[in-house]
Amino acid sequence: MKTIVWKIDPAIEHAPQIKAAAELLKGNETVAFPTETVYGLGANATNDQAVQKIFAAKGRPSDNPLIVHIAKVQQLEDLVEEVPEHARKLMEAFWPGPLTIILKKKGRLSDSATAGLDSVGIRMPDHPIALALIAAADLPIAAPSANLSGKPSPTTAGHVANDLTGRISGIVDGGETGVGLESTVVDCTRAVPVILRPGGVTREELMAVVGEVREDVALHNPEEAPKAPGMKYTHYAPDAPFILMDGSVRFIQAAIDQSKSEGKKTGVLTTEENKDAYTADTVISCGSRKDLATVAAGIYDALRTFDESGTDVIYGEVFPYEGIGDAIMNRLMKAAGHHLMKE
Ligand code: TXA
Ligand code: MG
């Protein structure tokens, strides 16, 4: 399959490229596009064959439902039974933005998109290209992250091209995404909203709008079965064993030295503040501790870079479970297969 790439500068006229990409979506083909979180791989959410092309291109397990993306709130009418009060408040506060809301589904949606569930996750992305593309296609667009299943989510069109060239019909290249981690997934089918996946909107921000918010117990207990089917897969894992290190630079350097003495090529995932303090084969800073949003934005690119460097073992620093730190630690713990060493 030939993969067309449209390079778009959002600041200049891009209507013709958006129209061409939208035509592919209308023709039930797959197109990757940027959102404010990560790149998505889109297809017509109302057509089963179109949606199955997403699962085939990614190698995604068919029991893992997709998020349906919309450009206007009116699109909800055809997709969900009802919008409860707390869900409406969350939409008003955070859409367009990195929040996926699970509601009871109805009607037109492909059963493959929702993996046969009676609910659907919906989000309105906060990115001019994503919104323009969805509006031009005039369809609800099913879109998981545009990576091969198991790889870190893509934050650049280059990441998408590395994983999916020849497997999808098009890539709209709109530059780097902003948040760098996926949306927060909140189940609004219950009386109290439940966070199934931490992400770009923090627990604190949700609570400020709707008061009480629960968290899926599986988020802090790897023995429990998660409510979001996708959360059970060992996503985001780099090729080399990855170990999270809760302790000082000295503690982490001692572990690096031990691995070196065993003849291993070592890597460390660190931050601007500590990057000059380590001696390892590959030292990658993913951002600054003073602004955890920079860490969120840099983490997936850092994990992909380790794969290219041929490291045998990677040690990673930990972050506080506050604000966007919740989502950062969720993804790092998954990447590490919950392998954490304490000083
Ligand atoms: O930021 C994002 O959310 C990105 C961009 C492209 O929008 N998309 C994304 O999609 O991360 P994906 O497919 O990689 O992750 C969707 C997550 C999975 O964990 C899936 O199991 C969960 O949402 N999910 C989707 N629909 C669900 C439903 N009806 N019930 C429970 N979990 C659901
Ligand atoms: Mg994904």
Side-chain angles (χ1 to χ4, degrees), residues 177-242:
T177 58
V179 179
L181 293 179
E182 301 86 345
S183 62
T184 305
V185 177
V186 176
D187 183 354
C188 284
T189 63
R190 297 142 194 277
V192 175
V194 185
I195 299 175
L196 305 187
R197 176 178 77 178
V201 175
T202 65
R203 181 167 34 110
E204 294 86 342
E205 288 170 324
L206 295 172
M207 287 168 65
V209 173
V210 289
E212 193 184 359
V213 174
R214 301 218 174 106
E215 281 183 307
D216 184 357
V217 288
L219 287 180
H220 300 289
N221 182 355
E223 315 284 286
E224 297 278 337
K227 301 266 179 334
M231 296 293 282
K232 70 174 178 277
Y233 296 104
T234 54
H235 271 81
Y236 320 118
D239 295 336
F242 175 49

Side-chain angles (χ1 to χ4, degrees), residues 38-39 58 60 64 143-154 182 197 230 235-236 300:
V38 300
Y39 273 76
K58 284 181 57 96
R60 181 179 177 105
N64 190 5
S145 49
N147 50 285
L148 283 173
S149 241
K151 289 272 175 195
S153 294
E182 301 86 345
R197 176 178 77 178
H235 271 81
Y236 320 118
Y300 286 145

